[in-house]
Each structure stands twice: as structure tokens, then as C-alpha cells.
Amino acid sequence: MQEALQYHQPSVSIDGRQLCNLLFADDIDLIAHSEQELQELTDYLHQAASRYGTSKSQILVNRQDDTRTHIVVNGETLQEVTSFKYLGVLLTDDGTSTSEIKARLGMATAAMLQLTSNKSRD
């Protein structure tokens, strides 16, 4: 899949490094600065992936307004989601970590409560 994106000139810079995708196992996350760039990346990737078969595709857009993004694959607009988990971390469309922090605090609280209840049984 990497060869499908190798000639694309990314417009997103993270810590000084130009990026247009994140790859891990069978997950490919495309990163673009505009809807047009995201459509181009999606087209490149779809062409390469069609040889192997593809599974689900969704869009998560980080933005400050309520506009919708329309990325099309095989004549169908991809579903836009407000959050998804990537490598165990909850990513949200508002670009904050609030939901992830709340989830982790909830897990820590549950673990502490379980420790407390186990200790009281001893």
C-alpha cells in the first residue's frame, strides 16, 4: 500500500515531518489538509487496494465548524464518524483528548474500586 502513496506530496507537517498517512498492520489512516487532497489520497489507495480486496472505510475530520466532508469510493460517499479507536487511543473530531482522558479515568476508578472491594474481603 505504501507504493500507492509514495509520490504524493503531503501538505500536513507534524513536528517538522511531512505526513499523508499512518500505517499499522492492516490499518491505514490518511492525513490531508483539504477535502480535495483527501479524495486524491483515497483514490490512490483504493486503486492499489482493489487488487487485494478492501474492508470498511470511514472518515474522521478534525475541524471547528459543522460542514461535512464528502469522500467518494466506487460512487458511494464514505461514512463520516465523530470518533474511532486507533492503536488503543480514542481519536475525536474535535481534536481534543477529553474523551480519552475521561475513558482512562473511568478505567482507573473501576480498577481502584475493585482493589478496594477485594481488600475489604480479606
Side-chain angles (χ1 to χ4, degrees), residues 7 19 24 28 32 34 37 42 45-46 50 63-64 67 77 79 81 84 87 89 91 93 106 113 116 122:
Y7 298 112
L19 294 174
F24 183 78
I28 301 171
S34 68
E37 182 182 8
T42 302
L45 190 61
H46 176 69
S50 62
R63 63 169 156 263
Q64 302 302 317
T67 60
T77 301
Q79 175 190 6
V81 296
F84 71 89
L87 300 179
V89 176
L91 302 175
D93 62 351
L113 288 173
T116 304
D122 294 337

Side-chain angles (χ1 to χ4, degrees), residues 34-76:
S34 68
E35 184 173 342
Q36 178 183 348
E37 182 182 8
L38 184 57
Q39 182 66 62
E40 289 172 11
L41 287 169
T42 302
D43 291 343
Y44 295 149
L45 190 61
H46 176 69
Q47 288 171 1
S50 62
R51 296 183 295 225
Y52 307 102
T54 58
S55 59
K56 65 180 181 174
S57 296
Q58 298 174 326
I59 304 169
L60 177 98
V61 179
N62 181 291
R63 63 169 156 263
Q64 302 302 317
D65 58 29
D66 291 333
T67 60
R68 290 307 200 205
T69 299
H70 301 282
I71 303 299
V72 179
V73 174
N74 283 339
E76 291 188 34

